[in-house]
Amino acid sequence: MELLGEYVGQDGEPQRLRVCCETSGDADPLQSLLSGVAQMKELVTEFFGPLIQREAQDSVAATPDDALDGELGDGTQGDFGLGEQV
């Protein structure tokens, strides 16, 4: 048994992640699957961690003031759930 994951980036190139969940002897197959899921979670975290950090840094560097003034990307103001004051 194995777990497969595939990510296709903006460049169109697929990236594949693979984890084997082989049982040895009388080992519980569900325990092997659980172990495989934990390994896949680690691989996904390692794979996407740098991408998430880079995107977050690019987002902050692109518009540092826009995040503070409440302006939405289209020039309108967002109320952030505060409603109108009368």
Side-chain angles (χ1 to χ4, degrees):
M1 182 174 16
E2 66 183 13
L3 297 172
L4 298 172
E6 183 173 292
Y7 167 77
V8 179
Q10 293 178 345
D11 60 0
E13 290 295 318
Q15 305 266 343
R16 292 183 178 88
L17 302 174
R18 178 177 172 226
V19 174
C20 292
C21 306
E22 297 299 321
T23 58
S24 58
D26 59 350
D28 182 11
L30 292 178
Q31 187 61 39
S32 296
L33 179 60
L34 182 60
S35 176
V37 168
Q39 289 176 7
M40 180 60 84
K41 182 179 176 182
E42 289 177 24
L43 284 176
V44 168
T45 300
E46 289 173 13
F47 180 79
F48 284 109
L51 295 174
I52 291 169
Q53 288 177 345
R54 188 175 333 129
E55 185 173 306
Q57 289 172 350
D58 291 347
S59 174
V60 170
T63 55
D65 292 333
D66 288 346
L68 299 176
D69 66 7
E71 186 173 312
L72 302 177
D74 60 0
T76 61
Q77 294 290 319
D79 68 4
F80 301 105
L82 300 176
E84 298 240 355
Q85 297 291 325
V86 181

